[in-house]
Each structure stands twice: as C-alpha cells, then as structure tokens.
Amino acid sequence: MNLNDCHNFADFRRLAKKRLPGPIFHYIDGAADDEVTYRRNAAAYEDVDLVPSVLAGVEDVDMSVEVMGQKLDMPLYCAPTALQRLFHHEGERAVARAATKYGTMFGISSLATVSAEEIAEIAPGPKMFQFYFHKDKGVNTALLERARAAKFNVMALTVDTITGGNRERDLRNGFTAPPALTPSSILRFATHPSWAWNFLTKEKFDMPHLAEATRGGGNTVSFVSHYFSNLLDQSMNWKDAEKLCAAWNGQFALKGIMSVEDAKRAVDIGCTGIMVSNHGGRQLDGSRAPFDQLAEICDAVGDKIDVICEGGIQRGTHALKALSVGAKAVSGGRLYLYALAAAGQAGVERALGNLRTEIERDMKLMGAKRVSDLTRGNLRWR
C-alpha cells in the first residue's frame, strides 16, 4: 500500500499504522477509557440523512467561507494538534504548507514541535495558535505575545483539558514524548526503519513553546500526562478566559465547548468563535458527540458567534451535514494526522484534496451553489 492507494480516511489510517511504531500510532488513534465517545464522534453523522435538491444549475460552486474573520477557500480547516514531528519528521511544516496550498486555516499547539516564528515564515495564510493555560502566569503572557509577534490570526484557548484523559492505550504501550529508548521501543523502531532513521538523524525532537514555558529552554517533559496534570492551571475559570480574551484583543475562540450554557458565556466574555469539540474523545469518555450537540448550540448562539464543529469528520458528507445544521466550518485532527504520518506534506495535501473534491462534488449533488444554501431543510434525522 502507498499514497496513491489512499482515497479516504480509512486508507490513510491503514498506511499510518504501517509506517509508525505501535505506541506512536496508538497515540493518534486512541482515546479515553472505553473509547465510546471516540467512536460516536463519527457514527453521529450516520444518524442523519441528506435530502438533495436537483435542477439547481450547479456548474460553478463556491465553497468559500469566512470564519473568525478569516477567508477560507473551503469550509474545513486543520485543527491544532500536538507533537507532530513524532508522526513525521516534517511535522507542522508539512501541515502549514499543505493548508496554505488549499487556502485554508491550520492551527499549531502550545505543544508544537516547530516554533510559531518558523510557521509564520512558511505560511502567509490564516493561522490559529492553540493556547494552554499554565499555572505560571508569566508563561501565559509570554506565549500570547509570541503568537501576536508571529502574526497569528486567531487565538484558541483549549478548555476541556483541565486534566489529562485516561488514555489506556498509551499506558499499555508505554507512550512517551520524546520516545524513551528501552529494549521494547528499540525493537519497535527497528521494525519501522524509515521512521526510526528520520527520527534519529533529522533535527532533534523538541517542543519549543513547552521548553520555554516549563524548563526555561531546557529539555522537554517526558510524559504528556505530566504536563496536563502538573503544569496546567486547574483553577482556570471564566474570569481567566475573559482576561485572556481581552489581552489578545482579536479573534478569540474557546476550544472544547459542549453545552449551550457555556456557549452563551463564551459570547458574553467577548469570544468570536467556539469549537464544539470533545477533544476527539480523548478526555471525558461518555460525553456527547459534537454533531449530536451542534443544533442546540447553533440555535442558541449561531447568530452571535462563529460555531465550528470539530470531531469525527471523515467524509465530505459529514462536513455538509454539520454545515447544514448551522456550523460555519468544520475541523479535525485525525483527518490530516494519519495522512501526515503516511507521507508527510504529500499525504496532508492528498487528504485535504480528497476532502475538498468530496465537498465540491457533494454540494453539486445536493443542489447547493454556495455553503449558505445548505440548511436543515436538506436533513432528516432517523
């Protein structure tokens, strides 16, 4: 199997599994507890049917949207995810270049493996900085100013990781970041020589924002769970989010909103966007899927704030269903991370290209010339 054989999400996942050592693949692939929410995130879209319109004259389709002040050529963007150079040595660089090629937004994490400054040089288009709220308030200020200086367009505060989820696959597989050299891990590396060669011979694995934030420029933290459980501020509250929003003084989103009440409070504190998200099922197992919760949130605040549906997107039809409910755009992590692991920049480009083609074709089949033509009138819940 190679990149030319990858026509959909499942194909990229299979190739990523072939290319990556087990612990690293399962870090992407896994979720919390029994992974019920993870599975539901994608399955939720199958409970709604599309009802197309015909004879709509759809030779020319406009897929562009404006999200949090950013003009995107398609209604899908790459959500920020951590540790990308673990999955492929190009990491965030590959995602930045691929997103730029397709005229869409992408985000980098506080736990990125390429600096905000370098990403700013690579990608002139819309960029999001994902922010974790640390106990050390000086660190928070430094990260905010670093993103501002690098001219990131959107700041997204993640609010659903007040502590790390119970990711049992990582415990079973002994996942660490950076990977620890043990007899077991060396064997896994040896059975994936291409990945191991790149990891060991390319630039040293590093998390530049995290090094500054927690070690004063020293070594990275060995366990991601340690970062979430010990370095983030578990006392973070709405006043903290409001102060951060005011300090950024620009396009500001909360990532991880799942209730109507929280969506309304996001509006009240001055946010311009919210990501309806459960962190890919990696935090609270048993929580609702974003798509299941989307309608009531859009009904409550969709005319006041940009609502993004994040999670479970594997097909163009999934995107169309979320847009029809009222989301301004959709986003996801795994939808491009498997492709990154499979083939670097070329993989991400192919994944985004596949989804763009699906969205365009499916809009034509739905009789929609523009995204605003997609409404709940085209949906039927089973």
Side-chain angles (χ1 to χ4, degrees):
M1 184 180 189
N2 58 42
L3 185 59
N4 291 331
D5 300 316
C6 292
H7 303 290
N8 57 43
F9 181 91
D11 292 339
F12 286 114
R13 181 183 178 275
R14 280 191 290 270
L15 187 53
K17 188 173 184 179
K18 179 180 177 182
R19 297 279 171 88
L20 291 176
I24 296 173
F25 170 78
H26 287 293
Y27 174 75
I28 301 175
D29 197 59
D33 292 352
D34 298 311
E35 303 186 354
V36 173
T37 293
Y38 172 29
R39 294 189 293 273
R40 179 61 193 167
N41 280 359
Y45 297 99
E46 310 312 318
D47 292 340
V48 179
D49 295 327
L50 292 166
V51 181
S53 298
V54 298
L55 299 176
V58 292
E59 181 179 7
D60 297 314
V61 167
D62 181 5
M63 292 182 285
S64 66
V65 292
E66 184 170 319
V67 181
M68 291 177 283
Q70 313 311 305
K71 293 184 177 180
L72 312 183
D73 289 348
M74 62 178 173
L76 175 148
Y77 69 85
C78 300
T81 59
L83 309 178
Q84 290 181 19
R85 283 205 294 117
L86 269 188
F87 317 136
H88 189 278
H89 63 276
E90 293 179 345
E92 290 86 354
R93 299 180 184 103
V95 181
R97 293 183 177 114
T100 298
K101 177 178 178 178
Y102 281 93
T104 193
M105 184 162 61
F106 71 100
I108 68 166
S109 170
S110 293
L111 295 171
T113 54
V114 178
S115 73
E117 294 80 6
E118 182 177 349
I119 292 299
E121 293 179 2
I122 291 172
K127 295 177 287 296
M128 172 186 294
F129 189 93
Q130 177 274 327
F131 193 95
Y132 283 124
F133 196 78
H134 299 83
K135 292 178 181 177
D136 186 335
K137 301 307 183 286
V139 164
N140 293 333
T141 299
L143 283 176
L144 185 145
E145 293 305 325
R146 190 169 183 173
R148 192 196 312 280
K151 299 190 184 323
F152 274 67
N153 310 95
V154 180
M155 175 68 69
L157 173 64
T158 294
V159 293
D160 60 3
T161 54
I162 208 69
T163 188
N166 179 35
R167 302 173 192 177
E168 293 178 356
R169 285 208 227 179
D170 292 347
L171 298 175
R172 292 191 191 98
N173 288 291
F175 173 81
T176 64
L181 292 177
T182 65
S184 176
S185 68
I186 289 172
L187 177 61
R188 288 165 175 152
F189 295 168
T191 57
H192 296 82
S194 178
W195 178 92
W197 172 259
N198 285 320
F199 183 79
L200 295 172
T201 62
K202 304 295 183 183
E203 65 187 295
K204 181 182 177 183
F205 180 83
D206 189 24
M207 294 180 253
H209 308 135
L210 178 58
E212 176 182 305
T214 63
R215 298 286 186 175
N219 294 328
T220 56
V221 176
S222 294
F223 296 92
V224 173
S225 61
H226 171 77
Y227 176 78
F228 287 124
S229 299
N230 296 284
L231 301 175
L232 300 187
D233 188 352
Q234 295 190 3
S235 71
M236 179 176 66
N237 57 37
W238 283 100
K239 288 187 180 298
D240 294 318
E242 185 172 17
K243 289 178 182 176
L244 189 66
C245 179
W248 178 249
N249 191 29
Q251 298 290 337
F252 188 89
L254 297 183
K255 184 177 183 296
I257 295 295
M258 287 295 292
S259 77
V260 168
E261 292 74 17
D262 285 346
K264 290 178 178 178
R265 293 201 70 172
V267 173
D268 291 341
I269 69 169
C271 294
T272 56
I274 53 173
M275 289 77 165
V276 181
S277 169
N278 56 33
H279 217 92
R282 295 161 72 81
Q283 288 297 100
L284 178 66
D285 198 27
S287 63
R288 291 199 90 194
F291 183 70
D292 286 333
Q293 197 69 350
L294 185 63
E296 61 185 77
I297 290 177
C298 287
D299 287 345
V301 300
D303 59 338
K304 303 178 183 71
I305 196 169
D306 287 352
V307 178
I308 313 304
C309 185
E310 182 176 294
I313 300 291
Q314 298 181 7
R315 284 288 190 184
T317 49
H318 295 170
L320 263 61
K321 289 175 182 180
L323 295 166
S324 297
V325 169
K328 285 289 182 71
V330 300
S331 64
R334 293 184 182 95
L335 65 85
Y336 71 87
L337 283 181
Y338 291 128
L340 173 66
Q345 181 179 340
V348 181
E349 288 182 4
R350 187 173 177 91
L352 292 179
N354 287 352
L355 285 165
R356 187 188 188 285
T357 297
E358 288 188 15
I359 291 170
E360 181 178 28
R361 178 177 57 241
D362 295 338
M363 283 181 65
K364 289 184 176 184
L365 292 172
M366 286 296 296
K369 294 181 183 179
R370 57 193 66 85
V371 172
S372 59
D373 291 339
L374 298 166
T375 71
R376 292 186 202 176
N378 296 118
L379 301 178
R380 295 295 183 274
W381 273 260
R382 295 183 184 178

